[in-house]
mmCIF file of all heavy atoms in Angstrom:
data_model
loop_
_atom_site.group_PDB
_atom_site.id
_atom_site.type_symbol
_atom_site.label_atom_id
_atom_site.label_comp_id
_atom_site.label_asym_id
_atom_site.label_seq_id
_atom_site.Cartn_x
_atom_site.Cartn_y
_atom_site.Cartn_z
ATOM 1 N N ALA A 1334 -0.362 15.969 1.919
ATOM 2 C CA ALA A 1334 0.933 15.489 1.216
ATOM 3 C C ALA A 1334 0.539 14.992 -0.217
ATOM 4 O O ALA A 1334 1.306 15.228 -1.173
ATOM 5 C CB ALA A 1334 1.546 14.335 2.031
ATOM 6 N N THR A 1335 -0.588 14.318 -0.326
ATOM 7 C CA THR A 1335 -0.956 13.866 -1.723
ATOM 8 C C THR A 1335 -1.341 14.992 -2.656
ATOM 9 O O THR A 1335 -0.888 15.030 -3.784
ATOM 10 C CB THR A 1335 -2.206 12.925 -1.566
ATOM 11 O OG1 THR A 1335 -1.859 11.840 -0.655
ATOM 12 C CG2 THR A 1335 -2.544 12.329 -2.878
ATOM 13 N N ALA A 1336 -2.028 16.003 -2.111
ATOM 14 C CA ALA A 1336 -2.428 17.136 -2.927
ATOM 15 C C ALA A 1336 -1.281 17.909 -3.349
ATOM 16 O O ALA A 1336 -1.193 18.542 -4.435
ATOM 17 C CB ALA A 1336 -3.447 18.043 -2.127
ATOM 18 N N SER A 1337 -0.226 18.143 -2.473
ATOM 19 C CA SER A 1337 0.957 18.787 -2.806
ATOM 20 C C SER A 1337 2.023 18.049 -3.654
ATOM 21 O O SER A 1337 3.047 18.435 -3.878
ATOM 22 C CB SER A 1337 1.569 19.346 -1.556
ATOM 23 O OG SER A 1337 2.040 18.318 -0.732
ATOM 24 N N LYS A 1338 1.641 16.758 -3.989
ATOM 25 C CA LYS A 1338 2.401 15.864 -4.825
ATOM 26 C C LYS A 1338 3.715 15.427 -4.150
ATOM 27 O O LYS A 1338 4.606 15.042 -4.859
ATOM 28 C CB LYS A 1338 2.776 16.615 -6.176
ATOM 29 C CG LYS A 1338 1.645 17.145 -6.961
ATOM 30 C CD LYS A 1338 1.017 16.112 -7.869
ATOM 31 C CE LYS A 1338 0.058 16.761 -8.824
ATOM 32 N NZ LYS A 1338 -1.181 16.243 -8.816
ATOM 33 N N ARG A 1339 3.762 15.492 -2.831
ATOM 34 C CA ARG A 1339 4.911 15.026 -2.075
ATOM 35 C C ARG A 1339 4.780 13.490 -1.998
ATOM 36 O O ARG A 1339 5.796 12.793 -1.836
ATOM 37 C CB ARG A 1339 5.061 15.648 -0.682
ATOM 38 C CG ARG A 1339 5.510 17.171 -0.862
ATOM 39 C CD ARG A 1339 5.592 17.725 0.535
ATOM 40 N NE ARG A 1339 4.372 17.488 1.238
ATOM 41 C CZ ARG A 1339 3.988 18.000 2.418
ATOM 42 N NH1 ARG A 1339 4.901 18.599 3.115
ATOM 43 N NH2 ARG A 1339 2.810 17.761 2.899
ATOM 44 N N VAL A 1340 3.560 13.022 -1.942
ATOM 45 C CA VAL A 1340 3.306 11.554 -1.743
ATOM 46 C C VAL A 1340 2.228 11.190 -2.879
ATOM 47 O O VAL A 1340 1.265 11.915 -2.962
ATOM 48 C CB VAL A 1340 2.688 11.288 -0.346
ATOM 49 C CG1 VAL A 1340 2.302 9.840 -0.263
ATOM 50 C CG2 VAL A 1340 3.728 11.587 0.611
ATOM 51 N N SER A 1341 2.406 10.064 -3.572
ATOM 52 C CA SER A 1341 1.456 9.652 -4.498
ATOM 53 C C SER A 1341 0.328 8.842 -3.773
ATOM 54 O O SER A 1341 0.555 8.412 -2.645
ATOM 55 C CB SER A 1341 2.044 8.838 -5.591
ATOM 56 O OG SER A 1341 2.441 7.541 -5.120
ATOM 57 N N VAL A 1342 -0.760 8.677 -4.521
ATOM 58 C CA VAL A 1342 -1.862 7.912 -3.915
ATOM 59 C C VAL A 1342 -1.340 6.482 -3.653
ATOM 60 O O VAL A 1342 -1.602 5.855 -2.662
ATOM 61 C CB VAL A 1342 -3.168 7.892 -4.850
ATOM 62 C CG1 VAL A 1342 -4.122 6.844 -4.361
ATOM 63 C CG2 VAL A 1342 -3.639 9.238 -5.022
ATOM 64 N N GLY A 1343 -0.615 5.891 -4.663
ATOM 65 C CA GLY A 1343 -0.025 4.586 -4.497
ATOM 66 C C GLY A 1343 0.869 4.447 -3.216
ATOM 67 O O GLY A 1343 0.747 3.461 -2.560
ATOM 68 N N GLU A 1344 1.704 5.499 -3.008
ATOM 69 C CA GLU A 1344 2.592 5.462 -1.841
ATOM 70 C C GLU A 1344 1.714 5.518 -0.508
ATOM 71 O O GLU A 1344 1.929 4.739 0.481
ATOM 72 C CB GLU A 1344 3.531 6.686 -1.761
ATOM 73 C CG GLU A 1344 4.655 6.541 -2.804
ATOM 74 C CD GLU A 1344 5.407 7.808 -2.927
ATOM 75 O OE1 GLU A 1344 4.790 8.973 -3.083
ATOM 76 O OE2 GLU A 1344 6.671 7.735 -2.889
ATOM 77 N N LEU A 1345 0.713 6.237 -0.476
ATOM 78 C CA LEU A 1345 -0.167 6.479 0.621
ATOM 79 C C LEU A 1345 -0.812 5.257 0.978
ATOM 80 O O LEU A 1345 -0.843 4.698 2.136
ATOM 81 C CB LEU A 1345 -1.223 7.592 0.364
ATOM 82 C CG LEU A 1345 -2.176 7.931 1.482
ATOM 83 C CD1 LEU A 1345 -1.490 8.425 2.703
ATOM 84 C CD2 LEU A 1345 -3.189 8.905 0.959
ATOM 85 N N VAL A 1346 -1.378 4.545 -0.023
ATOM 86 C CA VAL A 1346 -2.171 3.253 0.154
ATOM 87 C C VAL A 1346 -1.201 2.151 0.532
ATOM 88 O O VAL A 1346 -1.373 1.406 1.452
ATOM 89 C CB VAL A 1346 -3.045 2.942 -0.985
ATOM 90 C CG1 VAL A 1346 -3.621 1.573 -0.851
ATOM 91 C CG2 VAL A 1346 -4.042 4.013 -1.193
ATOM 92 N N SER A 1347 -0.177 2.017 -0.228
ATOM 93 C CA SER A 1347 0.713 0.903 -0.034
ATOM 94 C C SER A 1347 1.371 0.801 1.262
ATOM 95 O O SER A 1347 1.649 -0.270 1.745
ATOM 96 C CB SER A 1347 1.786 0.890 -1.205
ATOM 97 O OG SER A 1347 2.729 1.962 -1.020
ATOM 98 N N HIS A 1348 1.548 1.990 1.923
ATOM 99 C CA HIS A 1348 2.181 1.961 3.225
ATOM 100 C C HIS A 1348 1.184 1.484 4.336
ATOM 101 O O HIS A 1348 1.534 1.114 5.362
ATOM 102 C CB HIS A 1348 2.722 3.349 3.625
ATOM 103 C CG HIS A 1348 4.096 3.663 2.993
ATOM 104 N ND1 HIS A 1348 5.183 3.064 3.544
ATOM 105 C CD2 HIS A 1348 4.428 4.334 1.998
ATOM 106 C CE1 HIS A 1348 6.174 3.465 2.782
ATOM 107 N NE2 HIS A 1348 5.689 4.286 1.770
ATOM 108 N N GLN A 1349 -0.175 1.531 3.970
ATOM 109 C CA GLN A 1349 -1.149 0.984 4.874
ATOM 110 C C GLN A 1349 -1.516 -0.424 4.660
ATOM 111 O O GLN A 1349 -2.063 -1.004 5.631
ATOM 112 C CB GLN A 1349 -2.399 1.953 4.740
ATOM 113 C CG GLN A 1349 -2.190 3.277 5.066
ATOM 114 C CD GLN A 1349 -3.424 4.123 5.065
ATOM 115 O OE1 GLN A 1349 -4.466 3.713 5.540
ATOM 116 N NE2 GLN A 1349 -3.392 5.305 4.395
ATOM 117 N N LEU A 1350 -1.131 -0.952 3.600
ATOM 118 C CA LEU A 1350 -1.474 -2.362 3.359
ATOM 119 C C LEU A 1350 -0.579 -3.347 4.096
ATOM 120 O O LEU A 1350 0.629 -3.140 4.135
ATOM 121 C CB LEU A 1350 -1.419 -2.646 1.779
ATOM 122 C CG LEU A 1350 -2.413 -1.976 0.927
ATOM 123 C CD1 LEU A 1350 -2.166 -2.391 -0.526
ATOM 124 C CD2 LEU A 1350 -3.834 -2.212 1.396
ATOM 125 N N SER A 1351 -1.146 -4.267 4.775
ATOM 126 C CA SER A 1351 -0.325 -5.226 5.436
ATOM 127 C C SER A 1351 0.325 -6.206 4.492
ATOM 128 O O SER A 1351 -0.243 -6.710 3.490
ATOM 129 C CB SER A 1351 -1.257 -6.031 6.354
ATOM 130 O OG SER A 1351 -0.518 -7.067 7.143
ATOM 131 N N HIS A 1352 1.594 -6.483 4.796
ATOM 132 C CA HIS A 1352 2.404 -7.509 3.919
ATOM 133 C C HIS A 1352 3.377 -8.271 4.845
ATOM 134 O O HIS A 1352 4.504 -8.385 4.553
ATOM 135 C CB HIS A 1352 3.073 -6.798 2.758
ATOM 136 C CG HIS A 1352 3.795 -5.535 3.177
ATOM 137 N ND1 HIS A 1352 3.250 -4.268 2.929
ATOM 138 C CD2 HIS A 1352 4.958 -5.355 3.565
ATOM 139 C CE1 HIS A 1352 4.066 -3.478 3.301
ATOM 140 N NE2 HIS A 1352 5.144 -3.989 3.714
ATOM 141 N N ASN A 1353 2.788 -8.722 5.938
ATOM 142 C CA ASN A 1353 3.640 -9.417 6.961
ATOM 143 C C ASN A 1353 3.872 -10.875 6.613
ATOM 144 O O ASN A 1353 4.626 -11.537 7.199
ATOM 145 C CB ASN A 1353 2.991 -9.265 8.287
ATOM 146 C CG ASN A 1353 2.975 -7.830 8.845
ATOM 147 O OD1 ASN A 1353 3.983 -7.118 8.573
ATOM 148 N ND2 ASN A 1353 1.944 -7.457 9.466
ATOM 149 N N ASN A 1354 2.975 -11.408 5.718
ATOM 150 C CA ASN A 1354 3.073 -12.834 5.371
ATOM 151 C C ASN A 1354 2.622 -13.031 3.920
ATOM 152 O O ASN A 1354 2.136 -12.079 3.362
ATOM 153 C CB ASN A 1354 2.383 -13.682 6.396
ATOM 154 C CG ASN A 1354 0.928 -13.296 6.551
ATOM 155 O OD1 ASN A 1354 0.150 -13.129 5.586
ATOM 156 N ND2 ASN A 1354 0.509 -13.088 7.787
ATOM 157 N N LEU A 1355 2.737 -14.143 3.456
ATOM 158 C CA LEU A 1355 2.418 -14.508 2.026
ATOM 159 C C LEU A 1355 0.864 -14.307 1.891
ATOM 160 O O LEU A 1355 0.465 -13.822 0.824
ATOM 161 C CB LEU A 1355 2.825 -15.931 1.697
ATOM 162 C CG LEU A 1355 2.518 -16.360 0.278
ATOM 163 C CD1 LEU A 1355 3.239 -15.441 -0.693
ATOM 164 C CD2 LEU A 1355 2.958 -17.826 0.070
ATOM 165 N N SER A 1356 0.119 -14.666 2.830
ATOM 166 C CA SER A 1356 -1.399 -14.537 2.734
ATOM 167 C C SER A 1356 -1.703 -13.114 2.489
ATOM 168 O O SER A 1356 -2.681 -12.742 1.744
ATOM 169 C CB SER A 1356 -2.119 -15.027 3.948
ATOM 170 O OG SER A 1356 -3.450 -14.963 3.925
ATOM 171 N N ASP A 1357 -1.143 -12.137 3.267
ATOM 172 C CA ASP A 1357 -1.377 -10.678 3.071
ATOM 173 C C ASP A 1357 -1.086 -10.270 1.636
ATOM 174 O O ASP A 1357 -1.885 -9.600 1.042
ATOM 175 C CB ASP A 1357 -0.555 -9.924 4.026
ATOM 176 C CG ASP A 1357 -1.003 -9.915 5.497
ATOM 177 O OD1 ASP A 1357 -2.082 -10.393 5.734
ATOM 178 O OD2 ASP A 1357 -0.152 -9.480 6.333
ATOM 179 N N ILE A 1358 0.053 -10.659 1.154
ATOM 180 C CA ILE A 1358 0.510 -10.237 -0.214
ATOM 181 C C ILE A 1358 -0.427 -10.853 -1.248
ATOM 182 O O ILE A 1358 -0.931 -10.159 -2.163
ATOM 183 C CB ILE A 1358 1.881 -10.731 -0.433
ATOM 184 C CG1 ILE A 1358 2.837 -9.902 0.433
ATOM 185 C CG2 ILE A 1358 2.339 -10.540 -1.957
ATOM 186 C CD1 ILE A 1358 4.370 -10.328 0.580
ATOM 187 N N GLU A 1359 -0.804 -12.135 -1.077
ATOM 188 C CA GLU A 1359 -1.639 -12.724 -1.987
ATOM 189 C C GLU A 1359 -3.104 -12.028 -1.989
ATOM 190 O O GLU A 1359 -3.680 -11.739 -3.080
ATOM 191 C CB GLU A 1359 -1.852 -14.208 -1.740
ATOM 192 C CG GLU A 1359 -0.671 -15.004 -2.040
ATOM 193 C CD GLU A 1359 -0.774 -16.401 -1.714
ATOM 194 O OE1 GLU A 1359 -1.602 -16.782 -0.776
ATOM 195 O OE2 GLU A 1359 0.002 -17.309 -2.165
ATOM 196 N N SER A 1360 -3.581 -11.639 -0.893
ATOM 197 C CA SER A 1360 -4.842 -10.915 -0.726
ATOM 198 C C SER A 1360 -4.737 -9.625 -1.409
ATOM 199 O O SER A 1360 -5.668 -9.251 -2.203
ATOM 200 C CB SER A 1360 -5.230 -10.911 0.780
ATOM 201 O OG SER A 1360 -6.391 -10.162 0.950
ATOM 202 N N ASN A 1361 -3.711 -8.821 -1.127
ATOM 203 C CA ASN A 1361 -3.577 -7.421 -1.661
ATOM 204 C C ASN A 1361 -3.456 -7.504 -3.224
ATOM 205 O O ASN A 1361 -4.132 -6.727 -3.947
ATOM 206 C CB ASN A 1361 -2.288 -6.819 -1.068
ATOM 207 C CG ASN A 1361 -2.514 -6.508 0.351
ATOM 208 O OD1 ASN A 1361 -3.590 -6.410 0.930
ATOM 209 N ND2 ASN A 1361 -1.429 -6.331 1.028
ATOM 210 N N LEU A 1362 -2.705 -8.444 -3.727
ATOM 211 C CA LEU A 1362 -2.480 -8.546 -5.156
ATOM 212 C C LEU A 1362 -3.777 -9.018 -5.794
ATOM 213 O O LEU A 1362 -4.084 -8.666 -6.921
ATOM 214 C CB LEU A 1362 -1.310 -9.440 -5.531
ATOM 215 C CG LEU A 1362 0.039 -8.814 -5.261
ATOM 216 C CD1 LEU A 1362 1.167 -9.804 -5.445
ATOM 217 C CD2 LEU A 1362 0.186 -7.470 -6.092
ATOM 218 N N SER A 1363 -4.524 -10.035 -5.247
ATOM 219 C CA SER A 1363 -5.782 -10.324 -5.694
ATOM 220 C C SER A 1363 -6.734 -9.163 -5.942
ATOM 221 O O SER A 1363 -7.410 -9.145 -6.901
ATOM 222 C CB SER A 1363 -6.467 -11.446 -4.881
ATOM 223 O OG SER A 1363 -5.669 -12.611 -4.856
ATOM 224 N N VAL A 1364 -6.827 -8.354 -4.915
ATOM 225 C CA VAL A 1364 -7.710 -7.169 -4.999
ATOM 226 C C VAL A 1364 -7.219 -6.185 -6.118
ATOM 227 O O VAL A 1364 -7.956 -5.821 -6.985
ATOM 228 C CB VAL A 1364 -7.702 -6.389 -3.661
ATOM 229 C CG1 VAL A 1364 -8.451 -5.065 -3.809
ATOM 230 C CG2 VAL A 1364 -8.520 -7.195 -2.587
#
């Protein structure tokens, strides 16, 4: 899907990152 440009790398990764609470979001944004 990424190679065929249907999904960007950002979309692929962002769907896998946890963002269930503030701590998750702070951790992801810090990285």
Side-chain angles (χ1 to χ4, degrees):
T1335 304
S1337 65
K1338 309 271 192 230
R1339 290 180 303 184
V1340 174
S1341 71
V1342 173
E1344 288 171 312
L1345 179 66
V1346 171
S1347 65
H1348 282 283
Q1349 294 185 49
L1350 295 178
S1351 179
H1352 47 264
N1353 293 319
N1354 54 52
L1355 183 58
S1356 179
D1357 288 346
I1358 293 170
E1359 289 174 337
S1360 176
N1361 293 337
L1362 287 174
S1363 291
V1364 168

